[in-house]
């Protein structure tokens, strides 16, 4: 729906921002330039160099694992983690096949597709596990139900949505009960902590293989880049080999395995090296943004993206909110666009996002659940009640709830840039209030 919010009397007196307020943009400091310049001046601009060595060392030390392998992206890290898990479970694959060929993999449903694509790269079939309301992450109950339905599955890929850890104690217990291997997608949650076995640990160490991202909008960034994390030197060495085209130790190019051009450049590593000292500062700034939203929206029928305050500390990468069902105005989405209309006292994610955009602030819909994506329309989807597909027919009414679809329908990501001023955020909070008039 097209609407002129600047002429709408509900928004009288509000002026567009002089410069755009971003969802989450890179925050640079002076030290990044130092390490990039050093890489250029010393001519170490390829996929080896001091910056790479240092960010691997610093990331491993921060996370609390023994080995970190710097890669070109978080997706590359997830791919090699998933590939390696498949090889560990099912053996080495032929060059023309993936390590998961013929096997199902249980995956988070509300996540970015980079969590799931590696399963396809390796010829596996993703089975999507519904979300729970407490953290907006994989439901342990739905995961248990999935194992009851598919007892032969041995690999689980779990993501921490928007920097908030999932119920990892319960998820790990379900995996251990069924002898399943766990790959942790911590791409969005670098710096988030979880209380496991009475000890606070960083996300990125909760699976057998783990991955973080340094993409341009993440809590710290290299403009790109990712990291594979493990406690096994053998597995770290295997990932290093695969990521450098699986070149063997010969004076000519010799290959015994499929390889990939996935190594991080020393220049990107230089940016990350300059960012790492500011991680805790960025987390503190992001938390302040989340808390200002929590206070400023407390009188509205909305709730902020939740977290377990006893067992987790998010990195607050993105602040999100979800409208109460009672105040949802008509709002529908197609494949690429949406329609909404305003009703007094009500609003919708579409209206709020459009209003924010009109005044120069960037928000975004919640990740669309994977089981709703056209690409995965034939993949299984499991809820806490069992099969999430085909639950109704002409004679039987539906039962249960699709939590991920509900959060997608009623939720939105708010402008969460750590450079947004408190004054700018107050205007954004005011705009959201006026959407309900």
């Amino acid at each position: 729906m097209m609407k002129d919010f600047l002429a709408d009397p509900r928004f009288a007196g509000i002026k567009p921002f002089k410069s755009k307020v971003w969802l989450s943009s890179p925050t640079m400091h002076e030290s990044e330039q130092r390490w990039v310049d050093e890489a250029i001046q010393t001519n170490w601009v390829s996929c080896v160099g001091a910056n790479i060595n240092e960010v691997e060392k610093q990331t491993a030390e921060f996370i609390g694992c023994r080995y970190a392998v710097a890669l070109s992206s978080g997706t590359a890290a997830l791919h090699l983690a998933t590939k390696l898990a498949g090889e560990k479970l099912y053996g080495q694959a032929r060059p023309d096949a993936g390590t998961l060929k013929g096997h199902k993999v249980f995956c988070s449903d509300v996540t970015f597709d980079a969590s799931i694509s590696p399963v396809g790269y390796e010829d596996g079939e993703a089975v999507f596990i519904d979300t729970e309301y407490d953290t907006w992450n994989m439901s342990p109950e739905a995961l248990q139900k999935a194992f009851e339905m598919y007892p032969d599955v041995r690999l689980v890929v779990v993501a921490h949505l928007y920097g908030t850890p999932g119920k990892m104690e319960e998820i790990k217990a379900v995996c251990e009960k069924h002898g399943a291997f766990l790959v942790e997608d911590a791409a969005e949650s670098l710096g988030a902590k979880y209380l496991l076995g009475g000890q606070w640990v960083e996300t990125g160490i909760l699976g057998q293989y783990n991955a973080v991202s340094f993409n341009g909008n993440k809590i710290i960034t290299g403009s790109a880049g990712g990291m594979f994390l493990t406690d096994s030197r053998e597995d770290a060495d295997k990932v290093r080999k695969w990521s450098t085209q699986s070149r063997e130790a010969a004076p000519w190019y010799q290959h015994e395995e499929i390889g990939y051009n996935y190594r991080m450049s020393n220049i990107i590593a230089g940016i990350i090296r300059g960012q790492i000292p500011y991680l805790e500062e960025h987390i503190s700034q992001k938390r302040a943004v989340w808390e200002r939203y929590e206070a400023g929206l407390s009188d509205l029928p909305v709730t902020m993206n939740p977290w377990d305050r006893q067992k987790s500390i998010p990195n607050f990468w993105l602040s999100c909110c979800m409208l109460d069902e009672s105040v949802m105005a008509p709002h529908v989405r197609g494949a690429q666009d949406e329609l909404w209309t305003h009703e007094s006292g009500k609003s919708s994610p579409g209206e709020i996002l459009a209003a924010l955009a009109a005044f120069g602030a960037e928000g975004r819909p919640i990740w669309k659940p994977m089981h709703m994506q056209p690409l995965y329309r034939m993949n299984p989807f499991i809820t806490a009640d069992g099969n999430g597909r085909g639950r109704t027919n002409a004679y039987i009414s539906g039962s249960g709830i699709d939590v991920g679809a509900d959060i997608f329908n009623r939720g939105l990501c708010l402008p969460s840039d750590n450079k947004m001023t408190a004054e700018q955020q107050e205007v954004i909070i005011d705009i959201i209030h006026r959407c309900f008039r």
Side-chain angles (χ1 to χ4, degrees), residues 46-111:
S46 186
C47 59
V48 291
N51 288 331
I52 293 173
N53 297 338
E54 188 63 21
V55 297
E56 288 182 339
K57 174 178 176 290
Q58 291 182 353
T59 303
E61 288 176 350
F62 178 85
I63 295 291
C65 64
R66 296 182 65 189
Y67 302 99
V69 182
L71 299 169
S72 57
S73 67
T75 305
L78 283 166
H79 178 202
L80 297 189
T82 304
K83 177 183 179 70
L84 187 56
E87 183 170 286
K88 288 286 184 178
L89 290 168
Y90 306 115
Q92 188 173 19
R94 292 173 52 86
D96 60 353
T99 64
L100 295 172
K101 187 172 183 179
H103 299 284
K104 290 179 168 61
V105 179
F106 294 151
C107 302
S108 291
D109 185 48
V110 178
T111 184

Side-chain angles (χ1 to χ4, degrees), residues 152-280:
D152 293 335
V153 171
R154 296 178 64 195
L155 179 58
V156 176
V157 179
V158 63
H160 305 297
L161 188 69
Y162 303 137
T164 299
K167 294 181 176 179
M168 293 306 297
E169 187 168 31
E170 293 91 334
I171 288 171
K172 285 175 69 69
V174 173
C175 289
E176 290 167 6
K177 176 182 176 182
H178 296 279
F181 205 95
L182 182 63
V183 169
E184 181 193 19
D185 177 0
E188 302 173 9
S189 65
L190 178 62
K193 297 174 176 59
Y194 186 80
L195 186 63
L196 184 67
Q199 299 290 324
W200 286 101
V201 298
E202 299 288 332
T203 59
I205 199 174
L206 295 167
Q208 279 93 344
Y209 302 144
N210 316 278
V212 296
S213 172
F214 301 111
N215 188 43
N217 63 1
K218 294 301 187 291
I219 194 100
I220 63 171
T221 182
S223 76
M227 200 73 74
F228 170 85
L229 304 160
T230 182
D231 281 330
S232 166
R233 179 172 180 174
E234 178 185 356
D235 294 335
D237 286 345
K238 174 66 80 170
V239 167
R240 290 184 198 280
K241 176 186 178 182
W242 283 345
S243 68
T244 50
Q245 298 288 18
S246 292
R247 182 182 176 186
E248 300 295 334
W252 46 81
Y253 290 102
Q254 179 155 315
H255 307 274
E256 297 178 4
E257 298 179 89
I258 288 289
Y260 307 88
N261 184 17
Y262 275 176
R263 284 292 275 163
M264 181 185 290
S265 88
N266 200 45
I267 291 178
I268 286 176
I271 301 174
I272 299 167
R273 187 175 181 179
Q275 288 266 293
I276 287 174
Y278 296 94
L279 174 56
E280 295 295 348

Side-chain angles (χ1 to χ4, degrees), residues 340-376:
W340 54 266
T341 186
H342 180 72
E343 290 184 1
S344 179
K346 297 184 177 183
S347 190
S348 65
E351 180 183 23
I352 294 171
L353 290 172
L356 292 174
F359 290 96
E362 182 187 29
R364 185 176 290 173
I366 298 295
W367 297 132
K368 185 175 183 179
M370 291 293 104
H371 80 274
M372 298 174 66
Q373 300 286 353
L375 174 64
Y376 300 119

Side-chain angles (χ1 to χ4, degrees), residues 289-297 304 319 414-415 425 428-429:
V289 168
W290 191 95
E291 289 176 344
R292 285 196 293 266
Y293 277 129
E294 181 185 40
L297 301 176
M304 295 296 295
S319 295
L414 301 166
Q425 192 173 355
I428 289 169
I429 290 170

Side-chain angles (χ1 to χ4, degrees), residues 278-419:
Y278 296 94
L279 174 56
E280 295 295 348
E281 177 181 312
H282 290 187
I283 292 173
S284 178
Q285 293 164 344
K286 291 277 193 174
R287 180 166 188 157
V289 168
W290 191 95
E291 289 176 344
R292 285 196 293 266
Y293 277 129
E294 181 185 40
L297 301 176
S298 61
D299 60 332
L300 288 179
V302 305
T303 54
M304 295 296 295
N305 50 322
W307 49 289
D308 185 339
R309 298 179 188 233
Q310 302 300 315
K311 298 178 68 173
S312 69
I313 305 174
N315 69 1
F316 300 95
W317 175 53
L318 291 188
S319 295
C320 309
C321 71
M322 186 166 71
L323 282 65
D324 291 356
E325 184 67 45
S326 61
V327 295
M328 280 287 291
H331 166 84
V332 295
R333 291 185 173 122
Q336 296 180 321
D337 52 14
E338 60 186 337
L339 292 173
W340 54 266
T341 186
H342 180 72
E343 290 184 1
S344 179
K346 297 184 177 183
S347 190
S348 65
E351 180 183 23
I352 294 171
L353 290 172
L356 292 174
F359 290 96
E362 182 187 29
R364 185 176 290 173
I366 298 295
W367 297 132
K368 185 175 183 179
M370 291 293 104
H371 80 274
M372 298 174 66
Q373 300 286 353
L375 174 64
Y376 300 119
R377 62 189 178 276
M378 300 304 291
N379 289 56
F381 167 56
I382 311 301
T383 73
D385 293 330
N387 185 6
R389 303 286 196 188
R391 291 180 293 185
T392 64
N393 61 33
Y395 308 101
I396 303 172
S397 61
S399 62
I401 186 169
D402 182 335
V403 176
D406 186 38
I407 294 172
F408 171 63
N409 183 53
R410 296 194 282 131
L412 66 147
C413 302
L414 301 166
S416 304
D417 199 77
N418 59 329
K419 297 175 295 301

Side-chain angles (χ1 to χ4, degrees), residues 129 139-149 174 177-178:
I129 310 302
S139 163
E141 290 78 12
L143 180 61
Q144 172 59 33
K145 182 63 70 172
F147 275 113
E148 294 171 8
M149 297 173 65
V174 173
K177 176 182 176 182
H178 296 279

